[in-house]
């Protein structure tokens, strides 16, 4: 008999994404404005645009990643550290690919400058994603059938 594994609902994923992005915006917008010597409004609005795009990507990416885990017989909220690292890195690569053109255009940076900015931000966000997701899964576990 195949084991039934419960996963997060769309509503739960939306809650995850909103909390994730809110805390990330609070951390990154002021730091980005300071480091890039740009107006907080410019960086803040860009951060919101990328955040909204990231939320959509997050919902789709996590839905597919959860389904992949379930098909392999793994419970998504009980991912191992290596799987959590793979999950976070995969999401960030997708985010960079979709964000780089926006950052180049919005901030008037060269592709190389925007890539450096994205890589620095990605380094922070990968760590943040790992810590946030692990904490979130501990605070809001998905009940499994016995």
């Amino acid at each position: 008999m195949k084991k039934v594994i419960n996963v997060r609902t769309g509503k739960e994923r939306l809650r995850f994404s909103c909390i994730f992005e809110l805390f990330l915006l609070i951390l990154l917008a002021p730091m980005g404005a300071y480091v890039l010597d740009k107006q907080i409004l410019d960086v803040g609005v860009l951060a919101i645009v990328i955040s909204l795009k990231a939320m959509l990507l997050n919902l789709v990416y996590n839905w597919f990643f959860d389904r992949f885990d379930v098909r392999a017989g793994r419970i998504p909220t009980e991912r191992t550290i290596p799987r959590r690292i793979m999950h976070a890195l995969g999401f960030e690569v997708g985010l960079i690919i979709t964000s780089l053109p926006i950052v180049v255009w919005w901030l008037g940076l060269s592709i190389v400058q925007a890539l450096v900015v994205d890589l620095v931000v990605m380094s922070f966000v990968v760590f943040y994603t790992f810590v946030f997701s692990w904490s979130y899964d501990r605070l809001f576990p998905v009940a499994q059938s016995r």
Side-chain angles (χ1 to χ4, degrees), residues 61-82:
Y61 180 81
N62 283 313
W63 186 84
F64 278 108
F65 209 96
D66 285 354
R67 295 302 172 268
F68 181 76
D69 274 349
V70 169
R71 283 196 183 131
R74 293 184 294 261
I75 298 170
T77 58
E78 296 178 11
R79 289 185 182 123
T80 62
I81 290 175

Side-chain angles (χ1 to χ4, degrees), residues 33-50:
Y34 176 76
V35 170
L36 296 170
D37 194 29
K38 302 282 184 182
Q39 295 293 318
I40 186 75
L41 185 60
D42 289 338
V43 176
V45 172
L46 173 62
I48 290 169
V49 167
I50 291 176

Side-chain angles (χ1 to χ4, degrees), residues 36 103 107 109 112-123:
L36 296 170
V103 173
L107 296 177
L109 302 175
V112 172
Q113 290 170 321
L115 185 58
V116 169
V117 168
D118 266 351
L119 290 174
V120 169
V121 170
M122 182 188 76
S123 298

Side-chain angles (χ1 to χ4, degrees), residues 20 59 63 80 85 97 99 103 115 136:
F20 178 94
L59 291 171
W63 186 84
T80 62
I85 291 170
I97 290 169
S99 296
V103 173
L115 185 58
Y136 189 89

Side-chain angles (χ1 to χ4, degrees), residues 82-118:
R83 292 230 17 106
R84 287 185 181 280
I85 291 170
M86 186 175 80
H87 175 262
L89 287 172
F91 177 75
E92 290 308 316
V93 167
L95 193 57
I96 282 180
I97 290 169
T98 59
S99 296
L100 195 60
I102 298 168
V103 173
V104 166
W105 175 73
W106 196 283
L107 296 177
L109 302 175
S110 71
I111 292 175
V112 172
Q113 290 170 321
L115 185 58
V116 169
V117 168
D118 266 351

